[in-house]
Amino acid sequence: MWLPICSFYDVTVRHQLGLDWSDNIYWDVVTPHEVAHQWWGQMVGFDSYRDQWMSEGFADFSASLFLQSAYGSKGQKKFMEFWDHERKSIIERNRFGYRPIEVGPVTMGYRLDNSKVGGNIGVDLIYPKGAYILHMIRMMMWSNQGGDQNFKEMMHDFTKTYNGRAASTEDFKSIVEKHMTVDMQRMGDGKMDWFFDEYVYGTALPSYKMDSGFEKDASGDIVFSLKVTQSDVNDKFRMLIPVYLELADGRTAFLGRVRIAGNSSTDAKIPLKGIKEVPRRAMLNYYDDVLASPN
Ligand SMILES: [Zn+2]
């Protein structure tokens, strides 16, 4: 395993050497990222430079799982900060005026770097966007009943099938297609092309807005009303966007996914059976489930 010597320094030594950058999440991520290459890069290789996003991206994604599970009660906050940081790297303009996501798809790999757009687009894109692509699939597969079960089975199948071999982007897509949930099946008639065309082979970046409220119906049940708007996309773009509730006791609950195609809105009224107290608020895309412009 390769680790930079600086990853062994503690906070004091880093400070003495002037290494306490604003970008401090690097220190939390570097070790789990490099450890994760034993799966992404060593166990499962990548077929060509067009598939390298799966090595660097999946290693970055694995670091997010480490942050979420290894820091006890602080884990969730670190996890959220990590995805915030990844999104900034993908969509903020560099000093040449380019946003990495606009320069090209992750499948162009390091060919994205050139003298016009700057020499760092590859790193600023394939690591964080590669990670985001897998995170989006994880969140799409998550369920209240089974948690990460679907996603774990899919990733186990991927590592088992390609153990000791190189996998291509299409190989990975066909493994995802073997493990689609009902929601995912409906989105693409049993295929995942819609998602791969948008985020893997494409440069889509949607924006979202949600208006929501709670009221009580005649029988005293709480009814949740919502209107979700999707914009900044082409007519073919479609997505499943998760909605969460912050309950009266402070817990966050997953409610379901809204399906929207093109630049349009969807509204719904959902009776919240079994919820006695009015939730504090509703949140769209709370766990950065979908890579989108920040509101
Ligand atoms: Zn790496």
Side-chain angles (χ1 to χ4, degrees):
M1 196 181 97
W2 180 89
L3 271 182
I5 185 80
C6 61
S7 67
F8 294 93
Y9 301 158
D10 64 16
V11 177
T12 313
V13 175
R14 285 195 323 237
H15 180 70
Q16 284 165 352
L17 294 174
L19 289 173
D20 35 9
W21 314 315
S22 58
D23 190 5
N24 273 324
I25 200 145
Y26 172 81
W27 305 109
D28 288 335
V29 169
V30 59
T31 303
H33 173 106
E34 301 303 343
V35 169
H37 274 305
Q38 70 182 290
W39 295 285
W40 322 123
Q42 304 297 331
M43 181 189 259
V44 180
F46 52 91
D47 200 37
S48 85
Y49 73 89
R50 289 188 173 275
D51 313 298
Q52 194 168 3
W53 68 272
M54 297 195 294
S55 176
E56 296 304 350
F58 288 16
D60 249 23
F61 167 88
S62 303
S64 86
L65 296 184
F66 176 80
L67 295 179
Q68 194 175 30
S69 56
Y71 286 91
S73 57
K74 287 186 195 154
Q76 202 58 19
K77 189 166 167 271
K78 282 186 178 276
F79 180 76
M80 307 284 266
E81 282 171 1
F82 173 82
W83 290 112
D84 236 32
H85 178 267
E86 297 285 83
R87 190 185 52 246
K88 281 183 188 151
S89 165
I90 299 165
I91 69 174
E92 283 187 355
R93 288 184 197 285
N94 66 11
R95 61 199 176 89
F96 297 87
Y98 289 89
R99 308 168 85 188
I101 191 168
E102 292 169 346
V103 175
V106 287
T107 48
M108 279 182 67
Y110 286 103
R111 278 176 61 206
L112 293 164
D113 294 338
N114 60 54
S115 56
K116 186 179 163 197
V117 299
N120 222 33
I121 298 289
V123 167
D124 287 342
L125 192 73
I126 65 172
Y127 286 61
K129 197 182 170 194
Y132 240 111
I133 290 164
L134 194 55
H135 173 66
M136 288 172 73
I137 293 171
R138 177 194 181 196
M139 300 318 279
M140 214 186 289
M141 296 184 109
W142 197 90
S143 73
N144 274 331
Q145 297 75 33
D148 278 320
Q149 193 56 33
N150 291 323
F151 178 71
K152 282 183 184 168
E153 283 171 12
M154 188 268 290
M155 294 307 281
H156 286 167
D157 192 5
F158 182 57
T159 48
K160 226 168 107 185
T161 307
Y162 293 97
N163 191 350
R165 293 201 283 146
S168 70
T169 300
E170 285 294 306
D171 292 334
F172 177 63
K173 189 177 87 182
S174 56
I175 294 283
V176 179
E177 285 174 343
K178 265 175 73 184
H179 295 270
M180 282 180 292
T181 61
V182 175
D183 268 357
M184 291 158 81
Q185 300 250 11
R186 279 198 203 120
M187 283 295 280
D189 298 320
K191 293 277 178 197
M192 285 301 288
D193 292 275
W194 63 276
F195 177 78
F196 277 70
D197 288 348
E198 291 166 2
Y199 281 96
V200 181
Y201 299 117
T203 58
L205 185 68
S207 297
Y208 292 103
K209 189 173 151 288
M210 179 170 74
D211 297 308
S212 63
F214 302 96
E215 54 200 56
K216 288 204 173 169
D217 66 10
S219 55
D221 283 332
I222 300 164
V223 178
F224 170 52
S225 59
L226 77 163
K227 181 183 180 190
V228 180
T229 305
Q230 177 171 273
S231 56
D232 301 329
V233 294
N234 65 32
D235 293 345
K236 275 166 61 186
F237 183 93
R238 59 190 118 157
M239 189 43 69
L240 290 161
I241 312 108
V243 178
Y244 298 88
L245 298 176
E246 187 180 319
L247 303 176
D249 63 9
R251 279 184 304 131
T252 300
F254 170 71
L255 184 68
R257 296 179 181 91
V258 178
R259 177 187 167 158
I260 313 185
N263 295 296
S264 64
S265 300
T266 299
D267 45 344
K269 279 190 187 294
I270 303 160
L272 302 176
K273 301 268 182 228
I275 293 182
K276 296 275 178 293
E277 281 183 85
V278 176
R280 291 179 190 171
R281 61 180 178 134
M283 302 89 86
L284 189 73
N285 208 16
Y286 183 62
Y287 293 109
D288 288 303
D289 314 65
V290 175
L291 175 57
S293 295
N295 290 332

